[in-house]
Amino acid sequence: MKRNLILFTTLLITAFSVHAQILNPVKWTGKTEKLSETEYNLIFEATIEDKWHLYSQDLPDGGPTPTEFIFDTIDQTDNYKLIGNVVESKYITAFDKVFEMDLNFFDNEATFTQKIELLNPDLKTITVDIAYQACDDERCIYPQKSVTFNLDGSVKQETKSLTEENADLSNIFNLEDNQAEVKPDFTITDSETEAENEAKGLWVIFFTAFFLGFLVLLTPCVFPMIPMTVSFFTKQSKTRGQGIRNALLYGFFIIVIYTLLGTAISALFGSNAMYEFSTGVTFNTIMFLALLIFAFSFLGAFEIMLPNSWVNKVDTGANRGGVVGIFFMALALAVVSFSCTFPIAGTALLDAATKGGIAPIISMLGFSSAIALPFALFAFFPSWLNSMPKSGGWLNTVKVTLGFLELAFAFKFLSMVDLVLEWHMLTREVFLAIWIAIFGTLGLYLLGKIKLPHDSPLPHISVGRLCMALLALSFTVYMIPGLWGAPVELISGFPPPMSTNSESPYGVGNTKPALYSSGTGTAVELPEHAHYGPNNLIAFHDYDQGLAYAKKVNKPVMLDFTGLTCVNCRKMEEQVWVKEHVFNVLNNDVVLISLYVDDRKKLPKDEQYESELTGNNVTTFGHKWLEFQQVRYNTNAQPLYVIQDTDGNDISKAVGYMPDADEYYDWLKAGVKRFKQKQ
């Protein structure tokens, strides 16, 4: 069935030469509730597709676009008046890792109610425009819909969109026949692709947890248990086959115990509750304090132990023998090694729990598999035990190193709290200074310059320890330029963002520079109607003005459909546009026109017009550019990039989010080359 559906969709797309789609994840319905002869409730009901968010009317500055209900001013004067404000149903409040602030949003459904008093008894219908933003994990859209209310109480659907009407509106913007097709992979995402992406994410969780489990093996709580346990099974069993069977069973029970823990977390919190909890101040504060305690424990300040009564009960069970005894032996390993395993397993488990679904189960499956693996391998090949390194001071070194890492990660959670509460105490510079101090101290510790409570005498350091010290010190030196505004891309996403939580957003001692050079290496005067855009590139925010300037300087246009709150747009600007070869093309070879589809600034009265897409009045710049994008490229998702000539004809394929800088550069250069060939 799924394959037939995909085939049908493909044929339909081919037949109509459509390679993109109008996203419509929020469906609106309007109904009226009569309160008296003159009073009504207008009820807006929104049905939201899975994995999409609709944002509340009440949002902080700098976040996404709030939902807004636009009532006709003339109607309010002549026909009805509003009583109070629009009241919305209960929303979810959670910290959004993308916008890095607490946001109010709706999942699945939302209801908004506006009370009105009727002034004109002959009024039969009321039409209200709704401007809003909806986002999933990859895209944001900024549509404007209309809902018409029949005062007889019947239900009215939202006005149909372009794709639903199959309208041919190319004459609105004087489109040419040679317009480029939109890259299919950008907007068309079928269920198979989503399943594939989800599977990849689970594999990442599994192998990350597997690596953490391997690190736990190298701690003093677990490593000495390997030869002791394997020797017990091989020597106490009557046959070699029985010893192997018992060791495999022991490893299997280790996996079962930890995976059951992941299953319990998954069942307890579900797919959404843990995510919502994890993005709040409480969770991040708890994680900061927990990692701080774990770190100090690993560094030797104290030992985290379970009550002795628990350990004794588990030991008693292990003496029973048989399969039950082997299970309790595996449980004993988990209990006895608690002080080493819990900090790492707990961190992995909570991180997986924030992703919801079966992620906690997969995480603990990977973690426990790494711990169980050596017991099985050494049972099959007992001679390998002779080649194992002997227990010694190096095990404590591994434990201390993990303590430094836990300490560093603790401040990541504290920075999330700082961002939400807007303390601006743990700024990017302070965060980097703390990490520089932590990893610098780790490097000195590995070189033997610093001693901690449980360290053994160190007459010399091994080659492996020296390499680890050099790695830690190199990482420390790498981070230092970040204090002066360097991007430090290796840790991108860990420090607070420079744009919103930095003492020097343009680098220490710097102000916003003019980087536009036209290939001469010197700054030039800002052209009329132009603005400083991302990375201080000169950009136009009006299509006609930008096109006129492109004709004047005889350069191709790079049309950039973007949004003020578009996440992938910011990723492109901060991670791709900053690359030198890409930046040079954007800076010197094209005229950048950035059209913000969520710009709520009003159009001049003489430029407002009635939309042939929806029949509503287009009153804002954002709505104008969004309709331009929908009509010309049959998509409403951002970012979208197109290269045009000076007459506004497309000379490249329209492309969307393209995180590969080299691929994006090749696309840019191909468009510039095509422009030169047309001259």
Side-chain angles (χ1 to χ4, degrees), residues 202-260:
L202 292 177
W203 277 113
V204 170
I205 291 171
F206 177 87
F207 283 112
T208 300
F210 185 89
F211 175 73
L212 293 175
F214 178 75
L215 289 180
V216 166
L217 286 173
L218 303 178
T219 61
C221 308
V222 181
F223 188 82
M225 300 285 289
I226 298 174
M228 292 170 54
T229 307
V230 174
S231 297
F232 172 81
F233 286 128
T234 55
K235 292 179 180 179
Q236 297 298 320
S237 302
K238 295 180 180 180
T239 64
R240 182 172 181 270
Q242 186 181 10
I244 292 174
R245 181 184 68 83
N246 289 342
L248 289 175
L249 199 57
Y250 179 78
F252 171 74
F253 282 136
I254 290 173
I255 295 175
V256 168
I257 290 167
Y258 282 98
T259 305
L260 283 175

Side-chain angles (χ1 to χ4, degrees), residues 466-498:
L466 175 63
C467 291
M468 292 297 295
L470 292 175
L471 184 63
L473 292 173
S474 298
F475 183 58
T476 301
V477 173
Y478 167 78
M479 289 189 289
I480 291 174
L483 297 172
W484 286 270
V488 286
E489 291 186 8
L490 282 179
I491 55 173
S492 176
F494 280 93
M498 181 175 290

Side-chain angles (χ1 to χ4, degrees), residues 404 434-445 450 472-473 476 479:
F404 276 106
I434 292 172
W435 270 41
I436 289 168
I438 291 173
F439 285 96
T441 305
L442 172 60
L444 294 175
Y445 169 78
I450 297 175
L473 292 173
T476 301
M479 289 189 289

Side-chain angles (χ1 to χ4, degrees), residues 298-353:
F298 275 176
L299 293 173
F302 48 81
E303 196 81 9
I304 301 176
M305 298 290 292
L306 289 175
N308 287 330
S309 59
W310 294 18
V311 178
N312 294 333
K313 288 181 180 179
V314 172
D315 283 341
T316 301
N319 293 328
R320 296 182 182 180
V323 174
V324 175
I326 294 173
F327 171 80
F328 276 98
M329 285 184 66
L331 185 59
L333 174 68
V335 172
V336 172
S337 64
F338 179 83
S339 62
C340 291
T341 57
F342 179 68
I344 305 300
T347 303
L349 183 59
L350 287 172
D351 179 66

